[in-house]
Amino acid sequence: MVSAEVSAVRIAVIGVGPRGLSVLERVISHTRADGPPVELLLVEPGELGVGAHDVKQPDYLLLNTIAAQLTIFSDERMVPGAPVTGGPGFLEWCREHHGPVRFDEFLPRRLLGEYLQWAVRDLLDRLPPRLTARHLPAVAVDVRPDGAGAVVALDDGSTHRVDLALVTTGHGLVDPAPSTGTDPVDVPYPLPERVDAIPEGSTVALLGTGLTAMDVIAALTSGRGGVFGEDGYTPSGREPRIVLANRAGWLPRARPRAVEGRVAAPAAHFTPEAVHALRERAPDGRLDFRRDVAPLVLREALARLGVAAPERVAEVERALSTPEPLTWADHDGFRADVLAAARADLAEAELGLGASALKEALEVLRDHRESVRAALDPPGLTEESHRQFADEWAALINRTVIGPQKERIRELLHLVEAGVVELAPGPAPRLERDGLGWALVSTALGRPARVAVDRVVRANISWPLPDDPLDPVGAALRSWAEVGPDRSARLLLDRDGFATAREGGGRSAVAVFGPPAEGASYYNHYVPSPGAWSRALTDLDRVLVPALAPDGSR
């Protein structure tokens, strides 16, 4: 029995996409045990749980994770020793509701949205007696400490005092207004609306070649009636000409074919324990990633590579370093080298993990991501190293192992062959105004080159975005919480995810998870995977368990 004399624990979840939905799952799991009553306020202006996975978006916008690696429920392997709320993973649910699905398919994003819709209903039907959950369909405009708790203000004028506030706003709000005129499209989502105004036959500079860029390319090609076949791409005639530009010049490496049931080999060198040992020897506990951590990464990768030809060893060393940008004699040479490298990498990706020694060696960056997190967890890196990590290493990791599906790279090569996509004039081209339009100007070619473009789309965005109108909660946090140097968007959270107030100091009752926590920790924008230990769910438990303590000692 729950004593009526015990006051309810009030918890606000601000932003209820997939990460906020995981909060609901963990609270349900823990409140099956005896304890004080709990009131959960789910602050979300849109539909609960769906986040960026709108069920109305077109099928050419694909997930970046294979079907077998997604779930919104929990199991004993995900949170060892903690209570769980079981349920079907995304793959199992898809097979039940949509027929045969391969474990390694990159399915349309809208299908994950449908799964999340279903999961919300399932979870809300399973609330334990001591738990109530209330959806507040409004935008949070402020959250800040208030004594031992926090106050959350909403755009409907209401305020709510809670014992604990969890900020899980994901990628935040989006500007629904379509892009018009020739000003750059700074945030290309939602697609295709943000690029609908780009005229067919025009030339558009696409800044960035990662996952966001692949979405934009899909919207401007498949989304306009073009058709990919085994032998190439058949244009619809409605496409613009797309010029790809990025800092490194190289295209991202394709994700390799997955192997069902694969279990990553335990790390021999690049382990959290090895990172912690380095930290203990540092004067202030902070590390230099390039000096201290990168050698462990390379050592682990080369150990996986085993006995290999010198040129293969050199390729792994190049892939896992951040050298000075290369230069080319002219655009033709640059183009030939970049496309040859992309074709060779695609061949390795087609072989897949286990068969491609190169892909297995590079996969240490995904398999042992927790060791990367150990380097960034408080006290983290030196400020100079943190900037270098954000500017260079995070991009290198994305380019090496978190890049597009191999199918997307194959499509991209078909688009180049069809003349729909072209490469910018070398790496790191300069963008400048050119009359009513723009121009990409080479900075790393012996023979200078210039490409005139009509429109610009920025696909090299990263979170957190210091955009106050579209991120009122982030702006509120940055107004009172500890942040990085120069009032950056990076929150300085403690290991449990709590923000610390600048004035008066001390841990607040506001914890931050998901993309808004990026920088304080590493790689927070993902949905948990079934059957594997989950950092995301474990971190939520570190915050929730004390708040839900049966003795009321919160």
Side-chain angles (χ1 to χ4, degrees):
M1 293 287 293
V2 175
S3 171
E5 298 177 359
V6 179
S7 61
V9 179
R10 301 190 83 217
I11 299 174
V13 186
I14 303 171
V16 190
R19 185 59 58 94
L21 194 53
S22 285
V23 178
L24 173 61
E25 182 274 316
R26 297 315 298 144
V27 173
I28 288 173
S29 295
H30 289 289
T31 52
R32 290 198 188 94
D34 289 340
V38 178
E39 183 182 5
L40 198 60
L41 305 180
L42 304 174
V43 181
E44 169 56 51
E47 188 174 5
L48 289 177
V50 173
H53 306 91
D54 186 348
V55 298
K56 299 183 181 67
Q57 62 190 303
D59 281 357
Y60 58 74
L61 295 177
L62 303 178
L63 293 165
N64 301 320
T65 305
I66 62 174
Q69 293 179 346
L70 298 167
T71 187
I72 208 62
F73 298 97
S74 58
D75 59 49
E76 290 77 7
R77 290 186 179 180
M78 297 169 72
V79 282
V84 300
T85 298
F90 180 51
L91 176 61
E92 182 183 351
W93 181 88
C94 283
R95 286 173 172 172
E96 179 180 348
H97 291 81
H98 295 283
V101 172
R102 294 195 323 272
F103 83 98
D104 61 346
E105 280 193 69
F106 292 92
L107 294 170
R109 234 168 267 169
R110 68 168 181 84
L111 288 181
L112 181 58
E114 291 182 16
Y115 168 71
L116 294 169
Q117 286 178 327
W118 178 88
V120 168
R121 295 192 296 269
D122 182 78
L123 289 171
L124 291 177
D125 284 342
R126 291 204 256 174
L127 299 185
R130 63 181 276 213
L131 173 63
T132 59
R134 184 155 55 106
H135 179 197
L136 303 180
V139 174
V141 294
D142 193 15
V143 57
R144 60 187 58 247
D146 181 42
V151 171
V152 180
L154 308 183
D155 67 352
D156 62 7
S158 64
T159 59
H160 303 267
R161 193 187 187 285
V162 296
D163 300 289
L164 175 66
L166 280 72
V167 176
T168 55
T169 47
H171 294 129
L173 303 172
V174 296
D175 185 354
S179 176
T180 58
T182 61
D183 288 339
V185 178
D186 290 323
V187 179
Y189 296 107
L191 286 170
E193 293 86 349
R194 295 288 288 171
V195 298
D196 276 346
I198 295 176
E200 62 185 56
S202 62
T203 300
V204 56
L206 184 53
L207 308 185
T209 54
L211 297 171
T212 299
M214 297 301 131
D215 283 350
V216 175
I217 290 171
L220 294 174
T221 55
S222 298
R224 295 195 175 190
V227 178
F228 288 99
E230 287 296 323
D231 300 324
Y233 176 75
T234 303
S236 68
R238 296 173 53 216
E239 303 89 346
R241 176 177 174 243
I242 303 168
V243 182
L244 285 184
N246 67 9
R247 288 185 300 171
W250 305 104
L251 296 177
R253 291 182 180 271
R255 293 200 190 184
R257 180 177 57 81
V259 176
E260 191 165 14
R262 173 184 180 270
V263 177
H269 310 289
F270 185 40
T271 65
E273 292 77 16
V275 174
H276 292 316
L278 289 170
R279 195 180 297 288
E280 289 178 356
R281 296 196 291 269
D284 60 355
R286 297 195 296 171
L287 301 175
D288 182 295
F289 195 91
R290 178 182 287 172
R291 181 195 65 210
D292 300 323
V293 183
L296 294 177
V297 177
L298 180 58
R299 190 178 177 190
E300 191 70 48
L302 293 178
R304 277 196 183 186
L305 192 61
V307 179
E311 56 269 21
R312 182 49 56 93
V313 172
E315 184 174 4
V316 171
E317 291 175 338
R318 285 194 302 272
L320 298 179
S321 64
T322 56
E324 294 298 318
L326 298 177
T327 59
W328 278 263
D330 54 32
H331 184 258
D332 288 343
F334 163 74
R335 182 181 188 276
D337 285 353
V338 170
L339 295 179
R343 293 186 183 101
D345 181 74
L346 179 58
E348 295 287 340
E350 296 283 8
L351 290 175
L353 294 174
S356 168
L358 172 66
K359 290 295 185 182
E360 276 290 346
L362 299 180
E363 198 73 1
V364 299
L365 289 169
R366 273 172 55 87
D367 288 341
H368 304 301
R369 187 178 287 148
E370 194 57 31
S371 297
V372 181
R373 290 195 181 106
L376 269 75
D377 284 341
L381 307 174
T382 67
E383 285 304 329
E384 181 180 357
S385 181
H386 197 288
R387 284 190 292 270
Q388 193 263 345
F389 180 89
D391 290 343
E392 299 179 20
W393 269 97
L396 180 147
I397 295 171
N398 289 343
R399 191 167 60 246
T400 303
V401 295
I402 314 177
Q405 309 92 322
K406 64 184 187 304
E407 293 81 5
R408 286 296 203 212
I409 296 297
R410 189 185 308 114
E411 291 174 355
L412 182 59
L413 293 173
H414 286 332
L415 290 169
V416 171
E417 293 163 1
V420 175
V421 168
E422 186 51 272
L423 302 186
R430 185 174 67 253
L431 179 69
E432 58 184 40
R433 269 291 186 183
D434 183 15
L436 297 178
W438 302 82
L440 292 170
V441 182
S442 63
T443 62
L445 299 181
R447 182 182 303 157
R450 179 186 186 93
V451 176
V453 298
D454 304 300
R455 301 293 180 90
V456 176
V457 177
R458 300 187 190 278
N460 51 2
I461 53 178
S462 61
W463 280 268
L465 286 174
D467 188 328
D468 291 356
L470 294 181
D471 184 18
V473 171
L477 288 171
R478 291 189 291 274
S479 73
W480 60 262
E482 294 280 4
V483 295
D486 305 320
R487 304 285 293 160
S488 71
R490 175 168 61 100
L491 295 167
L492 300 182
L493 309 174
D494 70 13
R495 174 57 188 87
D496 291 339
F498 284 101
T500 299
R502 287 194 298 273
E503 297 180 7
R507 171 190 278 196
S508 72
V510 180
V512 184
F513 298 99
E518 201 66 27
S521 58
Y522 171 68
Y523 199 77
N524 295 282
H525 46 287
Y526 63 97
V527 176
S529 298
W533 179 75
S534 174
R535 163 76 180 247
L537 300 190
T538 302
D539 280 357
L540 288 176
D541 280 0
R542 290 167 69 105
V543 169
L544 290 169
V545 169
L548 301 171
D551 61 1
S553 62
R554 60 188 182 280

